[in-house]
Amino acid sequence: QVQLVESGGGLVQPGGSLRLSCAASISIFSINLMAWYRQAQGKKREVVARISSGVTTVYADSVKGRFTIFRDNVKNTLYLQMNSLKPEDTAVYYCNVLTGGRLYWGQGTQVTVSS
């Protein structure tokens, strides 16, 4: 069983920044695919960014140029640096990993962008 614990969410003004963290209970060195998703109230969960073990990254069009996904294989942690935040970025953010043929999710962290 893999445990994922997100942190770093909160309330921020438009234009501000936050860094989300997702700490894994196992070594992530060999995990090929890790990702951040988000779910706004009343909407479907959507992918925000993905990163492979080879550090190839893919971003949703809505966050390109503003968000950066990266991983620290020593700390077994996945990150999402979010800059130039907009009200429409308000959502619960979840990390997930695909390993051993199973998909694991964290509990989510709330990000609210509001003045």
Side-chain angles (χ1 to χ4, degrees), residues 63-94:
V63 306
K64 279 180 184 176
R66 300 187 299 121
F67 291 11
T68 303
I69 186 172
F70 59 101
R71 57 196 286 172
D72 186 328
N73 291 342
V74 175
K75 294 183 178 179
N76 296 322
T77 301
L78 176 70
Y79 299 95
L80 184 69
Q81 177 67 40
M82 306 186 295
N83 299 327
S84 302
L85 282 160
K86 304 175 181 180
E88 51 263 44
D89 295 318
T90 296
V92 178
Y93 283 71
Y94 301 89

Side-chain angles (χ1 to χ4, degrees), residues 8-84:
L11 174 64
V12 64
Q13 292 187 342
S17 297
L18 284 174
R19 177 177 290 186
L20 305 183
S21 300
C22 173
S25 61
I26 62 168
S27 170
I28 66 171
F29 180 80
S30 61
I31 294 179
N32 184 50
L33 190 60
M34 306 181 74
W36 286 97
Y37 282 71
R38 67 186 180 187
Q39 186 167 18
Q41 194 169 7
K43 296 189 176 181
K44 293 170 60 176
R45 191 172 295 189
E46 62 177 4
V47 63
V48 175
R50 294 190 176 104
I51 185 168
S52 71
S53 59
V55 298
T56 299
T57 56
V58 178
Y59 295 92
D61 287 343
S62 59
V63 306
K64 279 180 184 176
R66 300 187 299 121
F67 291 11
T68 303
I69 186 172
F70 59 101
R71 57 196 286 172
D72 186 328
N73 291 342
V74 175
K75 294 183 178 179
N76 296 322
T77 301
L78 176 70
Y79 299 95
L80 184 69
Q81 177 67 40
M82 306 186 295
N83 299 327
S84 302

